[in-house]
Amino acid sequence: MRILVTGGAGFIGSALVRHLVLERDAEVLVVDKLTYAGDRRSLRDCEGRPGFGFLQADICDRARMDAAFAEFRPEAVMHLAAESHVDRSIAGAAPFIETNIHGTFTLLEAARGYHATLDAAAKQAFRFLHVSTDEVFGSLGPTGAFCETTPYDPRSPYSASKAASDHLARAWRETYGLPTLVTNCSNNYGPYHFPEKLIPLIILNALDGKELPVYGDGSNIRDWLFVEDHARALVAAVERGVPGETYCIGGRSERRNLEVVQVICDLLDQRLPAARPRREQIRFVTDRPGHDQRYAIDCGKVERELGWRQQESFESGIARTIDWYLANDWWWQPLRQQRYAGERLGLIPALAKAG
Ligand code: NAD
Ligand code: DAU
């Protein structure tokens, strides 16, 4: 397949592109603006491979998107480009509105224009996969799980912008017949994860002997999925999913944040003993404003209808992830030194004082 992947220099996008290029022999054009979160080094294993191309461009730039479609002539779009960090969306929502909403709109319009030029068979086979998040469904209480029919209830600027983009993708199918599909996935983790997110931040702070910030009391729950399993699910959705449908993807691996942090400390202690157990570096800090309590996904539909199964358990995936960070400081050292050193993000000043 010839696939245009937006956001392919990011965490999930690069895992997807490595899978497509190295394991599926797909022809791929990555379209990525290379924001602070994008890094071409995450694609170094694909560079020079036949069928791999890279275009540094903003998805909000209609002319460049039109040209990318016209020149590459994709059979599918896998749209991952987004501003993705909740804490940054609290600190400043503008880029989230711009990229996640306006950018998705621009890409859908470019795809629609291109789709209209295809012959009947190519038109029917074309797919536009919009990659989204479980955060659009809001916050769960102690029981239950999100599924494809859960009403939308986004609560952060990030999740609200993703919810808007999901609605646009769906509307472009209903109104214009563009064959769009939407996936909503739970928290990913694994190699090449930008060290602003919980798991890589904790691994690297723990290694540096720094404090390990746990928001609130650490009781918030996330449903963790190894990133390569997500990549395989996205390919299954493009290959076997039905346009107009939504697919919820998850890890069936709910963990309290404190538990995740403790597991990382213990695994690091086993591999690289320090003077004191790393659990002593844990600090409970002011909670995230509007912090969603619990996410969990019922992924029965992707399992039944797409034949997808996750291959990595949380235990095997977190061990692989830690080993990857230990072996690949060439990747994360420059990011910690030049782009983000681990400082707290997303506190609203008045709330920070009160808390
Ligand atoms: P990321 O922040 O690691 O990567 C985002 C990529 O998009 C970067 O390479 C960045 O340069 C690029 N980008 C940003 N703005 C752009 C623009 N205007 N034009 C072109 N490229 C731009 O994100 P991620 O964690 O890999 O997430 C990828 C997608 O998956 C996002 O849509 C996110 O909402 C969704 N998602 C993420 C998770 C998760 O746990 N990380 C879970 C479910 C869904
Ligand atoms: O659920 C899918 C979403 O998962 C994706 O859509 C987002 O793009 C992705 O960033 C992620 O969002 P979260 O907000 O759940 O991920 P984050 O790693 O920022 O935080 C995970 C949990 O850990 C959350 O409850 C907040 C908490 N946390 C986070 C950081 C950065 C801490 O306790 N301490 C921290 O320092």
Side-chain angles (χ1 to χ4, degrees):
M1 253 189 149
R2 208 163 47 249
I3 306 180
L4 189 155
V5 179
T6 71
F11 165 49
I12 301 171
S14 68
L16 171 67
V17 172
R18 287 190 299 276
H19 177 66
L20 287 170
V21 171
L22 304 177
E23 291 171 46
R24 305 295 301 263
D25 286 328
E27 217 177 307
V28 171
L29 176 66
V30 171
V31 173
D32 198 296
K33 183 179 175 182
L34 295 180
T35 66
Y36 81 92
D39 196 326
R40 208 164 157 169
R41 296 175 311 142
S42 304
L43 294 167
R44 70 171 191 173
D45 295 346
C46 300
E47 300 282 353
R49 290 278 179 150
F52 172 74
F54 189 93
L55 174 68
Q56 183 172 358
D58 188 334
I59 57 164
C60 300
D61 185 334
R62 176 68 193 269
R64 297 203 68 195
M65 293 307 106
D66 283 343
F69 276 98
E71 283 160 33
F72 184 61
R73 304 201 64 74
E75 292 161 311
V77 174
M78 299 177 82
H79 173 38
L80 292 91
E83 289 291 337
S84 71
H85 192 37
V86 173
D87 290 333
R88 287 186 197 263
S89 81
I90 296 166
F96 290 75
I97 306 304
E98 182 62 11
T99 286
N100 300 0
I101 305 179
H102 185 226
T104 299
F105 159 71
T106 306
L107 197 69
L108 284 165
E109 281 292 82
R112 180 164 82 94
Y114 164 73
H115 187 245
T117 68
L118 299 177
D119 65 35
K123 233 181 212 152
Q124 211 182 349
F126 185 79
R127 294 288 181 271
F128 185 113
L129 175 66
H130 174 66
V131 178
S132 191
T133 169
D134 61 356
E135 299 203 11
V136 297
F137 301 122
S139 181
L140 286 166
T143 58
F146 301 132
C147 68
E148 289 76 8
T149 53
T150 304
Y152 275 45
D153 183 24
R155 291 158 31 101
S156 73
Y158 163 68
S159 56
S161 68
K162 290 296 291 186
S165 65
D166 294 13
H167 294 320
L168 292 176
R170 209 162 282 132
W172 258 240
R173 163 163 159 79
E174 296 299 331
T175 306
Y176 303 113
L178 186 70
T180 64
L181 314 82
V182 177
T183 54
N184 296 93
C185 188
S186 64
N187 285 64
N188 284 214
Y189 67 101
Y192 301 99
H193 203 180
F194 192 84
E196 64 190 350
K197 307 284 166 60
L198 178 71
I199 287 182
L201 179 75
I202 295 299
I203 295 172
L204 300 185
N205 275 10
L207 284 174
D208 281 353
K210 292 187 176 161
E211 295 189 347
L212 308 180
V214 172
Y215 296 173
D217 62 3
S219 67
N220 302 71
I221 292 175
R222 298 293 182 264
D223 174 1
W224 295 97
L225 178 69
F226 192 66
V227 67
E228 293 172 11
D229 278 323
H230 187 191
R232 285 186 277 268
L234 296 177
V235 174
V238 157
E239 287 180 343
R240 299 189 287 284
V242 177
E245 290 291 318
T246 287
Y247 298 93
C248 282
I249 306 166
R252 296 193 189 279
S253 293
E254 288 181 53
R255 297 286 185 285
R256 289 180 194 285
N257 289 342
L258 181 58
E259 207 179 320
V260 170
V261 173
Q262 288 172 336
V263 165
I264 294 171
C265 289
D266 297 348
L267 290 173
L268 281 174
D269 287 348
Q270 285 167 19
R271 284 158 171 72
L272 219 60
R276 307 179 69 80
R278 289 184 172 86
R279 284 185 183 215
E280 291 184 15
Q281 292 167 229
I282 294 174
R283 298 289 178 274
F284 293 95
V285 299
T286 308
D287 209 351
R288 169 185 283 174
H291 197 174
D292 289 338
Q293 181 57 33
R294 175 172 164 259
Y295 304 145
I297 284 272
D298 172 356
C299 55
K301 181 176 171 182
V302 276
E303 292 175 343
R304 280 190 312 275
E305 297 186 11
L306 303 183
W308 171 84
R309 290 282 181 290
Q310 63 177 334
Q311 297 177 12
E312 211 71 61
S313 67
F314 183 72
E315 287 66 34
S316 63
I318 195 73
R320 272 185 69 183
T321 302
I322 286 175
D323 290 335
W324 186 85
Y325 278 89
L326 289 174
N328 290 284
D329 61 351
W330 66 270
W331 184 81
W332 53 262
Q333 284 285 15
L335 300 181
R336 292 264 284 185
Q337 282 160 8
Q338 292 155 30
R339 292 197 206 170
Y340 174 63
E343 64 278 9
R344 178 72 194 264
L345 299 169
L347 281 181
I348 304 166
L351 288 181
K353 220 178 272 167

